[in-house]
Amino acid sequence: MPKYFELPLIYASIPQGQIYGKKMLTELDVLLGSCSFEIEQCNNVKKLEDVRTAIFGKNGKLTAKIKALKNASEDDKKLIGAKINEVKKVISDQLSTKLAELEMHELETKLKEEYVDVTLPVEVKSSGFVHPITKVFAEIANILSGYGFEFAEGPDIESEHFNFDVLNMPSHHPARTMHDTFYLNVLADDFGRKLLRTHTSPVENRVMIKKKPPLRMFTMGRVFRSDYDATHTPMFNQVEMLVVDKDIGFAQLKWLIADVLKKFFEVNELSVRFRPSFFPFTEPSAEADINYSIVNGKMKFGVGNKWLEIGGCGVSHPNVLKDGGVDPNEYQGIAFGLGIERLASLKYGVPDLRGYFESDERWREAFGFSPEDL
Ligand code: DAH
């Protein structure tokens, strides 16, 4: 028997003589085999789509078989048509199974590639430096808001009224000359000339006239004085604190200063010494000193018996309270003012005051902080 008749069993039922039909059936089986193989070989969705087009597209392999059907006899048409449908169904099933498999695989790969472990620490990629003044601002604001102090602000360009008059320094007061003031050649809306504020104390009055006691406020910002050498710059920064309440005085002030500075210098013990001083807006007035010693060439605060001046303070003068709309017979005020550059230099070992304002990149690299440290 010629090899020709060794067809799979499926053809056993085909009547003899229908050679065209048999050939087509065989070809369809071969096509099914090769398509299955191509589908199986696909390793991505795009390739699978190409294979689908190569089978079912306008010029596809199976489409060609469907077109060729018109040459078949009526009997063949039935037989081959059924076979084509069968092949079509098998290929379509294989295509959709493979598509689901590939899509799942691609999704898994994508998830693996894009996996982010949210529990890992943040990768720091920031550049630039935080200026030590900004850093100290943030530290002080943090400490003071812990006691319930509210932050307040006043303008850099002040009037004689706020900078002096309401701080018990009327125009004839000799203390005005101590301030080396930059005056502007412009009259202020309230009283006197405009000027660059020489201290942050004017903000005390600005808050008192707006808020009823008891109050706790602090402010920080630029102040200006006509002075320039290694320990003085024409612009520097101050922090000012004021508490207005009943039954308060020097004792509470001393405790407050010590407690704030303990937190600032991060020490458990710190002694504060008051030396008598004079400020027109406080009575009595004092310079506050803190104790320190030199350990391995470095200043260590809270130990030893050396003293370092840290700022001015006192109990608010009755005139200051009156000008703020507060009855001095009912309330007292306690206040203190510190230089921020001085605090920063002491804490972080910055040697020369002028470096703070020279915008030298190397200085900022040496004494600046990473933004994440804020
Ligand atoms: N304003 C003062 C100055 O710049 C510092 C000062 C002293 C502030 C005593 C105060 C204070 O609040 O009570 O020299």
Side-chain angles (χ1 to χ4, degrees):
M1 211 191 272
K3 250 198 154 31
Y4 179 74
F5 290 102
E6 287 175 12
L7 287 168
L9 261 182
I10 183 173
Y11 303 122
S13 59
I14 301 168
Q16 285 289 321
Q18 295 182 352
I19 302 303
Y20 179 80
K22 278 181 206 162
K23 192 168 160 268
M24 277 286 273
L25 291 177
T26 314
E27 280 176 12
L28 280 168
D29 270 330
V30 173
L31 184 72
L32 178 59
S34 68
C35 288
S36 300
F37 179 75
E38 280 172 36
I39 292 169
E40 199 40 53
Q41 291 300 299
C42 283
N43 56 6
N44 63 53
V45 175
K46 168 87 184 53
K47 268 192 197 149
L48 191 67
E49 273 317 302
D50 292 346
V51 169
R52 181 197 298 278
T53 320
I55 299 169
F56 293 118
K58 229 163 73 191
N59 303 314
K61 295 176 221 175
L62 196 63
T63 317
K65 295 287 178 227
I66 297 167
K67 279 183 192 158
L69 204 55
K70 65 175 187 291
N71 304 323
S73 66
E74 280 313 302
D75 283 346
D76 275 354
K77 262 187 198 159
K78 268 191 206 147
L79 197 69
I80 299 164
K83 181 72 181 171
I84 285 178
N85 282 340
E86 191 190 316
V87 169
K88 202 169 159 183
K89 168 133 192 359
V90 175
I91 293 178
S92 301
D93 287 351
Q94 283 177 354
L95 278 169
S96 35
T97 311
K98 189 70 184 175
L99 182 67
E101 192 183 296
L102 287 176
E103 278 177 347
M104 180 56 93
H105 179 73
E106 282 180 15
L107 181 69
E108 273 169 12
T109 322
K110 200 166 172 222
L111 285 177
K112 246 185 229 155
E113 274 170 14
E114 294 176 3
Y115 172 73
V116 178
D117 185 350
V118 289
T119 63
L120 283 176
V122 180
E123 199 181 324
V124 177
K125 281 211 185 98
S126 54
S127 61
F129 299 93
V130 171
H131 197 283
I133 298 296
T134 311
K135 169 88 165 117
V136 170
F137 262 31
E139 287 175 0
I140 291 180
N142 209 3
I143 295 170
L144 292 181
S145 45
Y147 301 93
F149 279 76
E150 257 183 72
F151 181 68
E153 261 185 314
D156 288 358
I157 299 176
E158 262 298 2
S159 62
E160 285 188 74
H161 171 75
F162 282 109
N163 199 76
F164 295 125
D165 296 346
V166 295
L167 290 164
N168 197 30
M169 278 184 273
S171 52
H172 59 269
H173 202 289
R176 282 199 181 200
T177 53
M178 284 162 50
H179 279 236
D180 302 314
T181 314
F182 288 113
Y183 285 97
L184 306 182
N185 230 346
V186 186
L187 281 181
D189 296 337
D190 28 53
F191 305 104
R193 286 166 291 174
K194 283 191 178 177
L195 48 77
L196 298 183
R197 68 175 178 187
T198 58
H199 53 176
T200 42
S201 303
V203 187
E204 290 190 10
N205 180 269
R206 286 186 175 275
V207 172
M208 276 192 280
I209 57 178
K210 276 209 201 105
K211 291 205 164 156
K212 286 212 170 320
L215 60 88
R216 297 168 188 191
M217 62 72 79
F218 75 105
T219 187
M220 289 184 283
R222 280 185 278 256
V223 300
F224 307 83
R225 293 195 196 171
S226 179
D227 215 348
Y228 190 56
D229 59 36
T231 53
H232 297 92
T233 49
M235 192 278 285
F236 56 103
N237 290 273
Q238 284 189 336
V239 51
E240 181 95 17
M241 282 152 273
L242 171 72
V243 181
V244 179
D245 211 332
K246 288 179 179 166
D247 302 323
I248 52 167
F250 247 26
Q252 286 74 17
L253 180 62
K254 203 170 174 189
W255 176 85
L256 182 63
I257 296 177
D259 211 54
V260 168
L261 293 174
K262 252 190 241 172
K263 291 192 170 105
F264 178 72
F265 288 113
E266 296 167 27
V267 291
N268 293 325
E269 291 301 324
L270 189 75
S271 303
V272 172
R273 181 175 82 172
F274 276 180
R275 269 178 303 110
S277 185
F278 173 77
F279 299 103
F281 34 92
T282 43
E283 181 55 43
S285 304
E287 297 281 358
D289 298 345
I290 54 171
N291 71 322
Y292 75 99
S293 67
I294 305 283
V295 182
N296 299 329
K298 274 194 176 165
M299 280 181 121
K300 224 172 159 286
F301 295 99
V303 287
N305 51 7
K306 289 181 188 297
W307 295 97
L308 185 85
E309 185 188 321
I310 199 88
C313 63
V315 175
S316 303
H317 192 284
N319 288 348
V320 170
L321 294 177
K322 265 189 240 159
D323 280 333
V326 176
D327 181 356
N329 296 318
E330 211 184 331
Y331 288 99
Q332 297 82 49
I334 53 174
F336 69 106
L338 313 173
I340 304 238
E341 286 76 6
R342 189 167 166 76
L343 289 177
S345 292
L346 292 172
K347 187 165 177 181
Y348 297 113
V350 184
D352 186 328
L353 201 58
R354 285 173 285 201
Y356 282 102
F357 312 109
E358 281 170 352
S359 298
D360 186 330
E361 193 59 30
R362 292 161 305 176
W363 187 91
R364 277 207 296 272
E365 254 174 61
F367 298 110
F369 297 85
S370 149
E372 286 72 32
D373 287 343
L374 262 193

